[in-house]
Coordinates of all heavy atoms in Angstrom, one line a residue:
A22 N 34.2 -6.6 -28.5 CA 33.0 -6.9 -27.7 C 31.7 -6.5 -28.4 O 30.7 -7.2 -28.4 CB 33.1 -6.2 -26.4
G23 N 31.8 -5.4 -29.1 CA 30.6 -5.0 -29.9 C 30.2 -5.9 -31.0 O 29.0 -6.2 -31.2
S24 N 31.2 -6.5 -31.7 CA 31.0 -7.4 -32.8 C 30.4 -8.7 -32.2 O 29.5 -9.3 -32.8 CB 32.2 -7.7 -33.5 OG 33.2 -8.4 -32.7
V25 N 30.9 -9.1 -31.0 CA 30.3 -10.3 -30.4 C 28.8 -10.0 -30.0 O 27.9 -10.9 -30.2 CB 31.1 -10.7 -29.1 CG1 30.4 -11.8 -28.3 CG2 32.5 -11.1 -29.5
F26 N 28.6 -8.8 -29.4 CA 27.2 -8.5 -29.0 C 26.3 -8.5 -30.2 O 25.2 -9.1 -30.2 CB 27.3 -7.1 -28.4 CG 25.9 -6.5 -28.1 CD1 25.2 -6.8 -27.0 CD2 25.3 -5.6 -29.0 CE1 24.0 -6.3 -26.7 CE2 24.1 -5.1 -28.8 CZ 23.4 -5.4 -27.6
M27 N 26.6 -7.7 -31.2 CA 25.7 -7.6 -32.4 C 25.4 -8.9 -33.1 O 24.3 -9.2 -33.4 CB 26.2 -6.5 -33.3 CG 25.2 -6.2 -34.5 SD 25.7 -4.8 -35.5 CE 25.1 -3.5 -34.5
T28 N 26.5 -9.6 -33.4 CA 26.3 -10.9 -34.1 C 25.5 -11.9 -33.2 O 24.7 -12.7 -33.8 CB 27.6 -11.5 -34.6 OG1 28.5 -11.7 -33.4 CG2 28.3 -10.6 -35.6
T29 N 25.8 -11.9 -31.9 CA 25.1 -12.9 -31.1 C 23.6 -12.5 -31.0 O 22.7 -13.4 -31.1 CB 25.7 -12.8 -29.6 OG1 27.0 -13.2 -29.7 CG2 24.9 -13.8 -28.7
V30 N 23.2 -11.3 -30.9 CA 21.8 -10.9 -30.8 C 21.1 -11.2 -32.1 O 20.0 -11.9 -32.1 CB 21.7 -9.3 -30.6 CG1 20.3 -8.9 -30.8 CG2 22.2 -9.0 -29.1
F31 N 21.7 -10.9 -33.2 CA 21.0 -11.2 -34.5 C 21.0 -12.7 -34.9 O 20.1 -13.1 -35.6 CB 21.7 -10.4 -35.6 CG 21.2 -8.9 -35.7 CD1 22.0 -7.9 -35.2 CD2 20.0 -8.6 -36.2 CE1 21.6 -6.6 -35.3 CE2 19.5 -7.3 -36.2 CZ 20.4 -6.3 -35.8
S32 N 22.0 -13.4 -34.3 CA 22.0 -14.8 -34.6 C 20.9 -15.6 -34.0 O 20.5 -16.7 -34.5 CB 23.3 -15.5 -34.1 OG 23.3 -15.5 -32.6
M33 N 20.2 -15.0 -33.0 CA 19.0 -15.6 -32.4 C 17.9 -15.7 -33.5 O 17.0 -16.5 -33.3 CB 18.6 -14.9 -31.2 CG 19.5 -15.0 -30.0 SD 18.9 -14.3 -28.5 CE 19.1 -12.6 -28.8
L34 N 18.0 -14.9 -34.5 CA 17.0 -14.9 -35.6 C 17.6 -15.7 -36.8 O 16.9 -16.5 -37.4 CB 16.6 -13.5 -36.0 CG 15.8 -12.7 -34.9 CD1 15.6 -11.3 -35.4 CD2 14.5 -13.4 -34.6
T35 N 18.9 -15.4 -37.1 CA 19.4 -15.9 -38.4 C 19.8 -17.4 -38.3 O 19.6 -18.1 -39.3 CB 20.7 -15.1 -38.8 OG1 21.7 -15.2 -37.7 CG2 20.4 -13.6 -39.0
V36 N 20.2 -17.9 -37.2 CA 20.5 -19.3 -37.1 C 19.3 -20.2 -37.2 O 19.3 -21.1 -38.1 CB 21.3 -19.6 -35.8 CG1 21.4 -21.1 -35.6 CG2 22.7 -19.0 -35.8
P37 N 18.2 -19.9 -36.5 CA 17.0 -20.7 -36.8 C 16.5 -20.5 -38.2 O 16.0 -21.5 -38.8 CB 16.0 -20.1 -35.7 CG 16.8 -19.6 -34.7 CD 18.0 -19.0 -35.4
L38 N 16.6 -19.3 -38.7 CA 16.1 -19.1 -40.1 C 17.0 -19.9 -41.1 O 16.4 -20.5 -42.0 CB 16.3 -17.6 -40.5 CG 15.9 -17.2 -41.9 CD1 14.4 -17.5 -42.1 CD2 16.1 -15.7 -42.1
C39 N 18.3 -19.9 -40.9 CA 19.2 -20.7 -41.7 C 18.8 -22.2 -41.6 O 18.7 -22.9 -42.6 CB 20.6 -20.5 -41.3 SG 21.8 -21.5 -42.2
A40 N 18.5 -22.7 -40.4 CA 18.1 -24.1 -40.2 C 16.8 -24.4 -40.9 O 16.7 -25.5 -41.5 CB 18.0 -24.4 -38.7
Y41 N 15.9 -23.5 -40.8 CA 14.6 -23.7 -41.4 C 14.7 -23.7 -42.9 O 14.1 -24.6 -43.6 CB 13.6 -22.5 -41.0 CG 12.3 -22.6 -41.7 CD1 11.3 -23.5 -41.3 CD2 12.0 -21.7 -42.7 CE1 10.1 -23.5 -41.9 CE2 10.7 -21.7 -43.3 CZ 9.8 -22.6 -42.9 OH 8.6 -22.7 -43.5
I42 N 15.5 -22.8 -43.5 CA 15.6 -22.8 -45.0 C 16.3 -24.1 -45.5 O 15.9 -24.7 -46.5 CB 16.4 -21.6 -45.4 CG1 15.6 -20.3 -45.1 CG2 16.8 -21.6 -46.9 CD1 16.4 -19.0 -45.4
L43 N 17.3 -24.5 -44.7 CA 18.0 -25.7 -45.1 C 17.1 -27.0 -45.1 O 17.2 -27.9 -45.9 CB 19.2 -26.0 -44.2 CG 20.4 -25.1 -44.4 CD1 21.4 -25.3 -43.3 CD2 21.0 -25.3 -45.8
E44 N 16.2 -27.0 -44.1 CA 15.2 -28.1 -44.1 C 14.3 -28.1 -45.3 O 13.9 -29.2 -45.8 CB 14.3 -27.9 -42.8 CG 15.0 -28.4 -41.5 CD 15.3 -29.9 -41.6 OE1 14.5 -30.7 -42.1 OE2 16.4 -30.2 -41.1
L45 N 14.1 -26.9 -45.9 CA 13.2 -26.8 -47.1 C 14.0 -27.2 -48.4 O 13.4 -27.8 -49.3 CB 12.7 -25.4 -47.2 CG 11.7 -24.9 -46.1 CD1 11.3 -23.5 -46.4 CD2 10.5 -25.8 -46.0
V46 N 15.2 -26.9 -48.4 CA 16.0 -27.0 -49.7 C 16.9 -28.2 -49.8 O 17.3 -28.6 -50.9 CB 16.8 -25.7 -50.0 CG1 15.9 -24.5 -50.1 CG2 17.9 -25.5 -49.0
V47 N 17.3 -28.8 -48.6 CA 18.2 -29.9 -48.6 C 17.5 -31.2 -48.4 O 16.7 -31.3 -47.5 CB 19.3 -29.7 -47.5 CG1 20.2 -30.9 -47.5 CG2 20.1 -28.5 -47.7

């Protein structure tokens, strides 16, 4: 449950960041 919690919280930043970087490089 802790791994779900931590990765879900941080994914709110990392997923959009990943999408943004891909828009720049792909």
Side-chain angles (χ1 to χ4, degrees):
S24 68
V25 173
F26 170 83
M27 183 170 283
T28 56
T29 300
V30 169
F31 281 103
S32 71
M33 289 187 286
L34 296 175
T35 59
V36 171
L38 178 62
C39 180
Y41 176 72
I42 293 174
L43 287 171
E44 281 297 321
L45 296 178
V46 301
V47 177

